Amino acid sequence: MRFVLFCHSLVSDWNHGNAHFLRGVVRELKRRGHAVTVYEPRGGWSRTRLSRELGRDPAVEFQAAFPGLNSIEYEVYALDLDEALDDADVVIVHEWTDPVFVARIGRHRRQTGRYRLLFHDTHHRSVSARDDIARLDLDGYDGVLAFGEAIREIYLRHGWSQRAWTWHEAADTTLFRPIPSSARDGHLVWIGNWGDDERSAELHEFLLDPARALGLRPVVHGVRYPASGLRALRAAGAEYRGYLPNHRVPETFARFHVTVHVPRRQYVTALPGIPTIRMFEALACGIPLIAASWRDTEGLFGRHDFLVARNGIEMMRHLRALFADADLRASLAANGLARIRARHTCAHRIDALLEICADLGAAAAHAAPDRQPLAVEAT
């Protein structure tokens, strides 16, 4: 089949965590023999900011890290959809796409009816910016791919879409895997962005305060840290190392004993059960993980895949236990890695996507010869 994806960026991962999964999806579709064309808007904020940070267009580094992947830049009002979608079987539009363009493609689908059209939601805006999502014109779309059951239910409950499937993100295990390393940069690393005060209190409670109390000097990678956030890092004795290209995350994890997951507030309160890509990344790389206040309401993981801290006291207790017990670290790492490989790779998600496409009557889906379809992912 021929897939066409419209996303915010394939090339840039600056403040754009979805890039990991999107790249993995494209790579897996291509591996199975499908044709994939990816479009990203010219002048998109992620690529623009990364270009500014690097002092050059990031496309060169992207091509070196991801040979065989590429994207086409387009203008929202100028792209010829007849030409771009001429022989498409399935078109997927990511939710960071300009609303005007979202509507344009919907109208084109209604007029031509030649392909199946899906909207891909991987953010918390269905609750944090509900009016923005409600105003999206999804008439003409065949349904929504939601990266959590809670979001799928919201689309159906509010009538924003007549059909929706839960399609979680997952690890691209071609890239995200354990890397043997005898070098150590420290005990604890955290990779993530400050988050517009969406988790500033949580970062204090679950990362900075425990680190200071235990005398740790955590290493922090991420972007969009305000002056207050940088001051908080310094006060806690943390070392801030700024932007980290997503493809270098595995080699970074390999140099530390432990990492933590501090979800944004919306994924704890309004949208429980959605594991963002950071959890999949850590487990796929075989680093012991402590998740802060996260509830696995969808039963995606096992009890011994990672530790959960309900408050800062529990976080300190878990950190102290992990640093003191190499066997516990090894057990958690092995369990988490096994879970990813068994259920949460991009290959698993493509199985589910191809089932959805077949259900919608798209061209015959190509199933991997060594893998069974996972209908549970397309509920």
Side-chain angles (χ1 to χ4, degrees):
M1 288 193 291
R2 184 190 172 210
F3 288 81
V4 179
L5 274 62
F6 291 91
C7 64
H8 178 68
S9 185
L10 196 70
V11 170
S12 174
D13 53 40
W14 194 96
N15 196 47
H16 178 38
N18 304 127
H20 170 170
F21 182 57
L22 294 170
R23 292 164 177 171
V25 163
V26 174
R27 177 155 35 198
E28 180 62 21
L29 284 171
K30 285 177 170 286
R31 188 189 70 81
R32 300 191 187 197
H34 298 286
V36 186
T37 304
V38 181
Y39 288 90
E40 60 179 85
R42 190 178 306 280
W45 49 259
S46 179
R47 187 163 175 173
T48 298
R49 290 298 299 268
L50 183 55
S51 297
R52 190 179 308 162
E53 179 150 332
L54 297 176
R56 59 188 179 278
D57 190 319
V60 175
E61 285 87 347
F62 170 75
Q63 286 295 331
F66 300 94
L69 299 191
N70 57 73
S71 65
I72 301 170
E73 293 184 277
Y74 72 96
E75 301 285 351
V76 169
Y77 294 94
L79 181 66
D80 185 335
L81 291 182
D82 286 335
E83 179 180 345
L85 305 179
D86 179 51
D87 57 349
D89 296 302
V90 178
V91 179
I92 300 175
V93 181
H94 192 254
E95 47 92 15
W96 278 117
T97 302
D98 187 298
V100 172
F101 196 74
V102 171
R104 273 195 69 199
I105 297 180
R107 289 193 298 271
H108 188 269
R109 166 68 168 78
R110 292 197 301 272
Q111 293 165 2
T112 65
R114 292 197 304 263
Y115 50 85
R116 297 297 174 261
L117 179 59
L118 296 166
F119 186 71
H120 186 200
D121 191 322
T122 60
H123 201 262
H124 55 64
R125 291 193 299 155
S126 57
V127 293
S128 62
R130 176 179 166 180
D131 289 346
D132 291 345
I133 300 300
R135 282 194 293 267
L136 289 174
D137 183 0
L138 297 183
D139 189 22
Y141 284 70
D142 292 287
V144 171
L145 301 173
F147 87 140
E149 177 65 15
I151 293 177
R152 185 189 78 89
E153 292 174 353
I154 287 172
Y155 273 87
L156 296 178
R157 183 166 64 249
H158 293 304
W160 297 342
S161 178
Q162 295 303 306
R163 301 190 73 176
W165 297 265
T166 299
W167 198 50
H168 289 287
E169 292 184 311
D172 176 5
T173 50
T174 304
L175 175 61
F176 283 78
R177 64 194 190 280
I179 297 178
S181 175
S182 58
R184 281 288 178 265
D185 278 0
H187 288 94
L188 173 63
V189 62
W190 188 69
I191 301 173
N193 306 324
W194 187 259
D196 296 324
D197 290 327
E198 294 171 349
R199 58 180 166 204
S200 54
E202 291 82 354
L203 286 173
H204 280 277
E205 180 179 5
F206 291 101
L207 177 65
L208 302 182
D209 293 346
R212 181 166 44 222
L214 294 174
L216 303 175
R217 293 184 58 84
V219 169
V220 175
H221 287 277
V223 299
R224 298 182 66 213
Y225 279 70
S228 59
L230 295 175
R231 287 194 298 270
L233 293 184
R234 289 193 296 269
E239 180 184 352
Y240 176 60
R241 296 187 182 176
Y243 168 71
L244 178 69
N246 187 249
H247 66 272
R248 289 181 51 200
V249 167
E251 67 188 57
T252 300
F253 277 149
R255 298 195 298 271
F256 291 85
H257 289 297
V258 176
T259 190
V260 299
H261 171 57
V262 185
R264 296 172 190 263
R265 200 166 300 133
Q266 291 86 349
Y267 298 123
V268 175
T269 56
L271 297 171
I274 298 177
T276 62
I277 197 66
R278 299 300 185 190
M279 291 188 70
F280 294 119
E281 288 178 351
L283 298 177
C285 290
I287 185 173
L289 171 69
I290 308 173
S293 298
W294 187 75
R295 292 179 294 140
D296 185 13
T297 59
E298 296 186 49
L300 300 174
F301 302 103
R303 289 182 54 206
H304 304 294
D305 294 344
F306 54 88
L307 300 177
V308 177
R310 292 170 295 181
N311 51 54
I313 299 299
E314 285 194 355
M315 179 62 76
M316 282 195 292
R317 187 180 305 135
H318 288 328
L319 286 170
R320 190 180 290 114
L322 285 173
F323 293 145
D325 191 339
D327 289 339
L328 177 58
R329 295 199 303 271
S331 175
L332 283 176
N335 291 340
L337 177 60
R339 186 74 55 178
I340 291 294
R341 290 175 173 174
R343 294 187 61 184
H344 303 304
T345 70
C346 287
H348 289 96
R349 300 304 186 256
I350 293 306
D351 288 340
L353 177 62
L354 294 179
E355 282 198 357
I356 293 169
C357 294
D359 188 39
L360 291 173
H366 298 182
D370 59 344
R371 190 180 294 278
Q372 293 298 315
L374 299 178
V376 66
E377 300 295 343
T379 57

